Amino acid sequence: MSGTGRDGLYIDGEFRAARSGRVGSVEEKATGREIGRFALGEAPDVDDAVAAARSAQPAWAALSAPERASYLRGFAAQLDARHGELVEQSMRETGGVRAKAEDEVGTSIRQLHISAVQASEPAGDVLPPYKAGKLSLSRTVPLGVIGLITPWNYPMNLAMRAVAPGLAFGNTIVLKPAELTPVIGGQVLARAAHAAGLPPGVFNVVTGDGPGAGRPLAEHAGIDMLDFTGARAVGESVAAAAAGRDVRLELGGSNAFVVLDDADVELAASCAMIASLEFQGQTCISASRHIVLRDVAEAYLDAVTRKAESLVVGNPFDDVDLGPLISIAQRDRVHEQIVAPSLAKGARLVTGGTFEGLFYRPTVLADVTPDMPAFSEEIFGPVIPITVVDTEAEAIALTNGYPMLMNSVFSADLVRGMGVAEQLDAGEVHVNDAHARHGAENQLAGFTRRQWIGVQRTPLQLPEWASR
Ligand code: NAD
């Protein structure tokens, strides 16, 4: 198959090649082996997909909630039927270990079931009447056509977190998955939606690269909302391209991991493995900066180093803890733009800092200061940079002031930990835990707008000037 048939674009219920006929290669990250092809869609293909989504949207929104919910359950059943195959596809395409891939596929299926229920939940409120005799209602209505651009790190569930609620509320979708993961992030979803019998045009997939397919989708006048997950700089530029439409951006940041002087150091170091090293550190909520109070700094450094050195790096199909980085470009970014310049500025390499191909050793850097990229930049690699401070106030001041998604604080005193957590700027802070266990259950349901409805309940009394 080379970009046609079931491996092509999915537009208006049909699988087809890109209009240009161009294809790209899908690679297994651990081996570099070609495992498939994908169509390199471009602006004319995006036009076709948006037109299909536009024309399908009114009829899709007009279906009853139980009908849409039934399609979503059918979509879930199709994914569930191929669960094992999808897990292995994710392992090959993203380079994640089996547990990561299981989580990704399982979360995606659960998201569809949750959204099937969301579709039937009350969709409005009765508001206080602003005048006697009036009935004021509000209801949620679909936005219309959603353009969805997704990254490679959790390609299936980061797509599904928008696809499922988006469809549930009566929107139609054009998905542009990342070019490094076009199968698990796009093609398999198209096949499942098709097999579940979703009406043509309701869900469309245009594979391709960012400038070729993503940009025309973001700029397209036919979308009502752009939902983008990816790098901060790219997100800011696509948001400008989508100006005038609803835009939701999920970007990256430099998350902090704060260890106070009364922390359980072993617990903190174990959580650090998850926070900074799980999936090779390539998660938007990965901890970048470890800010540690001096009293426990040496014990923490020892524990983190011991644990990092025990990790086995290799092909996810072998019994390993960490797999490969996603690409040579990503490896070079981690090594040449984060680790090397931080060492040049005086950071101390405690362990790691070496690689073979895409396999990067878990790395611990000590003596890290705020002027180093290991401190200020999103790393997206298996690196633990440690910065030592003397006081809790210093730890708080040093944490704030950077783009952050999620932080952690460690303290044996829960009240103290929560007090520090409250002073950190991130959208989410955890006390004595590495990460939120982000499930489909705590995704926010969006993709609708509020519509206010006023009803005159009693005979209308208009002012004299209006009824002359
Ligand atoms: P990326 O921004 O390079 O790519 C994301 C998507 O945008 C891809 O589909 C890509 O093809 C597309 N794209 C690239 N250039 C484009 C352009 N000019 N116009 C339109 N689309 C374009 O990001 P990535 O490397 O795939 O993912 C890693 C980044 O994503 C990290 O910064 C990470 O923090 C972030 N991320 C955030 C979340 C979150 O929920 N906040 C989740 C996962 C990843």
Side-chain angles (χ1 to χ4, degrees):
M1 283 282 156
S2 57
T4 57
R6 69 207 280 271
D7 294 329
L9 311 173
Y10 182 59
I11 297 175
D12 209 12
E14 291 183 352
F15 294 93
R16 56 159 243 224
R19 283 185 180 270
S20 68
R22 293 178 63 222
V23 292
S25 165
V26 186
E27 284 177 5
E28 178 173 42
K29 304 305 178 289
T31 61
R33 192 166 61 91
E34 182 176 281
I35 52 170
R37 296 281 181 91
F38 68 101
L40 275 170
E42 288 171 329
D45 306 297
V46 170
D47 287 344
D48 293 345
V50 172
R54 248 308 27 109
S55 109
Q57 198 269 330
W60 177 249
L63 290 181
S64 69
E67 284 170 315
R68 281 200 305 275
S70 164
Y71 279 117
L72 294 189
R73 285 193 210 91
F75 196 160
Q78 291 297 330
L79 293 177
D80 219 4
R82 300 176 60 203
H83 196 286
E85 188 192 326
L86 297 178
V87 165
E88 299 206 340
Q89 182 69 31
S90 170
M91 292 166 71
R92 291 203 164 87
E93 253 180 296
T94 71
V97 297
R98 189 170 291 277
K100 181 261 182 197
E102 292 274 6
D103 187 51
E104 191 180 348
V105 175
T107 302
S108 303
I109 294 169
R110 286 206 321 283
Q111 178 69 66
L112 280 160
H113 285 294
I114 290 164
S115 293
V117 174
Q118 284 173 332
S120 307
E121 282 172 351
D125 295 309
V126 179
L127 307 168
Y130 76 97
K131 257 187 191 171
K134 305 268 183 199
L135 178 62
S136 275
L137 309 173
S138 83
R139 62 171 191 149
T140 49
V141 294
L143 288 166
V145 175
I146 297 171
L148 174 59
I149 299 178
T150 52
W152 47 261
N153 59 347
Y154 293 82
M156 189 189 254
N157 66 295
L158 293 180
M160 196 53 86
R161 75 178 173 182
V163 169
L167 293 179
F169 291 116
N171 303 281
T172 55
I173 297 200
V174 178
L175 164 65
K176 204 302 279 176
E179 54 273 43
L180 288 165
T181 51
V183 179
I184 195 67
Q187 289 175 356
V188 299
L189 300 180
R191 283 179 225 158
H194 190 72
L198 262 74
V202 165
F203 177 62
N204 307 275
V205 177
V206 179
T207 47
D209 63 24
R215 184 87 192 177
L217 180 58
E219 286 172 342
H220 208 290
I223 62 166
D224 298 293
M225 178 189 186
L226 176 72
D227 186 285
F228 173 89
T229 301
R232 187 160 290 274
V234 180
E236 283 164 2
S237 101
V238 299
R245 268 73 55 73
D246 279 40
V247 176
R248 186 176 83 142
L249 299 177
E250 289 284 353
L251 309 176
S254 173
N255 306 305
F257 191 95
V258 177
V259 184
L260 299 179
D261 48 9
D262 60 350
D264 176 338
V265 167
E266 270 299 306
L267 171 73
S270 296
C271 288
M273 297 302 108
I274 299 167
S276 286
L277 304 183
E278 191 173 47
F279 188 43
Q280 297 79 264
Q282 301 171 118
T283 304
C284 58
I285 52 176
S286 291
S288 288
R289 307 168 281 147
H290 293 239
I291 298 174
V292 184
L293 264 71
R294 194 170 302 282
D295 283 359
V296 290
E298 201 180 318
Y300 182 70
L301 179 63
D302 288 349
V304 160
T305 304
R306 186 185 78 240
K307 289 171 194 283
E309 286 179 343
S310 78
L311 300 179
V312 180
V313 183
N315 188 325
F317 284 89
D318 299 331
D319 191 16
V320 300
D321 303 302
L322 304 183
L325 291 177
I326 193 75
S327 64
I328 289 174
Q330 188 63 20
R331 181 202 69 196
D332 289 348
R333 203 190 81 80
V334 171
H335 195 67
E336 286 161 23
Q337 292 177 38
I338 303 284
V339 174
S342 298
L343 294 175
K345 286 188 162 195
R348 180 159 53 93
L349 182 65
V350 184
T351 189
T354 58
F355 58 85
E356 266 178 53
L358 298 184
F359 299 101
Y360 203 91
R361 276 302 308 162
T363 297
V364 178
L365 301 178
D367 304 338
V368 171
T369 48
D371 58 330
M372 299 175 187
F375 187 93
S376 56
E377 301 292 320
E378 180 179 39
I379 299 175
F380 245 55
V383 181
I384 299 181
I386 299 181
T387 303
V388 178
V389 295
D390 288 305
T391 64
E392 183 183 300
E394 211 185 323
I396 295 167
L398 213 49
T399 298
N400 289 335
Y402 296 82
M404 297 179 287
L405 281 76
M406 185 184 296
N407 293 329
S408 296
V409 179
F410 287 80
S411 168
D413 177 347
L414 205 51
V415 174
R416 181 184 180 203
M418 288 171 71
V420 171
E422 277 177 19
Q423 297 174 69
L424 303 183
D425 283 343
E428 220 169 307
V429 186
H430 295 269
V431 181
N432 295 337
D433 192 6
H435 270 218
R437 297 282 171 251
H438 263 303
E441 291 71 13
N442 31 27
Q443 300 292 350
L444 300 176
F447 315 105
T448 55
R449 65 190 164 82
R450 276 269 152 173
Q451 185 180 55
W452 294 53
I453 303 166
V455 178
Q456 182 66 33
R457 288 197 301 126
T458 53
L460 189 59
Q461 294 190 349
L462 293 172
E464 184 277 328
W465 59 263
S467 350
R468 276 176 209 155

